[in-house]
Amino acid sequence: RTLIDAGVSMDLLAFVLALLPLSLYGEGLRRALLRFTTEHDTLTGLINRNTLHAALAPKISAAEADGQEVALLVIGVDGFQQINEMLGNTWGDLVLRAISQRLAVTIPPAGLLARLSGDEFAIVIATHDIGDDLGRFAEQIGESFDAPLLAGNRHLRVKVSIGAAVCPNDGRTADELLSNAHMALSRAKATNRGGYVLFEDSIRRELEKRLTLEAELALAADGDEFELFYQPQLNLDTLLIGSVEVLIRWRHADGTLLLPGQFLAVAERSG
């Protein structure tokens, strides 16, 4: 980990060792390196998604046996794509390393920190290790990014959004927790960018409703289910019709007439 913290990637270490004679470092080190690169993210040295997923199951089982709760927080970097576009991928990698180091100092020793993919990280922590106050813990993570990050020789201001789910209420498996925490993160990025959202069932219901509506909209366009209504605009001075306003309505397959406010926002987001 010392080399990782110094900015040396595991990809580079593996390449160097591959060039050296096996007698110089031994089979044991080669196997240890191979295992490390399998279980960890080679850029940051954090455990990767697969390792986190495998570690979640026993933590969930232990927490349920003790009547405790385990929280999973998924952290997304706001505006990371713009950083890559403006500064390039090399600087983007430096930013991700700096973010991983900033996150590492915010969690208790019993917590797990992972890089999921791209600009997403995750923290697994028993709620009793954070005083049973998940909201405050999420706030502290966000506040830790108030100070600029040092990436290379640049100081950059970076913000993060956080979605969190708690076992057992929000899921009893690693897949359920990851799915629900990701949905909470999506809500945070949409409605509370730079903040956090704790998962609740209404988030899933709204997502399922939106996905259903998107699918039905595609069918509605092919099925000529949209209708135009013409509403005259009366000139009060002359009492004559001065213009006509065109209104769109959706005659849903079930016979319901839907107003624009019920589907236009979804139509615009889905293209």
Side-chain angles (χ1 to χ4, degrees):
R1 280 307 305 271
T2 301
L3 290 172
I4 291 290
D5 294 338
V8 179
S9 76
M10 290 305 301
D11 288 334
L12 177 58
L13 290 176
F15 176 74
V16 171
L17 288 180
L19 295 178
L20 295 174
L22 184 61
S23 59
L24 291 181
Y25 57 89
E27 178 66 16
L29 180 57
R30 188 190 69 81
R31 290 182 178 177
L33 178 62
L34 179 59
R35 179 176 179 180
F36 189 92
T37 55
T38 300
E39 297 177 348
H40 293 73
D41 170 53
T42 57
L43 176 65
T44 63
L46 301 177
I47 61 173
N48 57 30
R49 185 187 189 95
N50 290 337
T51 306
L52 178 77
H53 192 283
L56 260 175
K59 283 187 172 293
I60 290 172
S61 298
E64 289 186 323
D66 296 337
Q68 303 292 330
E69 294 181 330
V70 174
L72 172 65
L73 299 90
V74 176
I75 302 153
V77 184
D78 296 333
F80 182 72
Q81 182 177 348
Q82 285 72 25
I83 294 175
N84 263 342
E85 291 174 351
M86 289 188 299
L87 302 178
N89 292 334
T90 299
W91 282 101
D93 288 347
L94 291 175
V95 170
L96 291 173
R97 282 198 186 114
I99 289 171
S100 69
Q101 293 163 4
R102 182 71 59 88
L103 289 172
V105 300
T106 66
I107 65 174
L112 288 177
L113 174 61
R115 182 185 177 203
L116 297 181
S117 63
D119 62 350
E120 286 189 353
F121 298 82
I123 293 173
V124 176
I125 189 76
T127 56
H128 64 74
D129 287 328
I130 52 174
D132 293 310
D133 192 343
L134 180 56
R136 181 55 192 147
F137 179 59
E139 287 177 349
Q140 290 172 342
I141 294 172
E143 291 167 358
S144 73
F145 287 89
D146 288 344
L149 283 177
L150 177 60
N153 59 359
R154 289 176 179 265
H155 284 88
L156 300 172
R157 187 167 294 279
V158 173
K159 289 294 184 181
V160 298
S161 297
I162 302 169
V166 179
C167 170
N169 291 339
D170 302 331
R172 294 179 177 273
T173 68
D175 286 332
E176 289 175 349
L177 283 182
L178 281 165
S179 174
N180 291 340
H182 268 110
M183 278 191 279
L185 173 61
S186 296
R187 171 66 68 85
K189 284 183 172 289
T191 65
N192 190 27
R193 199 171 183 84
Y196 72 93
V197 167
L198 305 182
F199 177 80
E200 52 189 31
D201 287 336
S202 62
I203 295 176
R204 178 177 291 279
R205 290 195 298 269
E206 289 177 13
L207 177 61
E208 291 173 347
K209 181 179 179 181
R210 180 170 64 82
L211 292 176
T212 299
L213 195 59
E214 286 178 356
E216 292 177 342
L217 276 169
L219 296 175
D222 294 334
D224 294 326
E225 295 178 10
F226 295 109
E227 300 179 9
L228 297 180
F229 290 78
Y230 300 91
Q231 179 171 291
Q233 303 294 303
L234 187 66
N235 187 317
L236 296 180
D237 294 328
T238 64
L239 298 181
L240 298 175
I241 295 175
S243 61
V244 175
E245 182 180 11
V246 181
L247 307 173
I248 189 170
R249 299 290 186 267
W250 177 9
R251 183 77 64 180
H252 193 273
D254 64 5
T256 305
L257 191 65
L258 301 180
L259 301 177
Q262 296 173 276
F263 63 87
L264 273 186
V266 175
E268 290 171 354
R269 282 198 300 268
S270 61

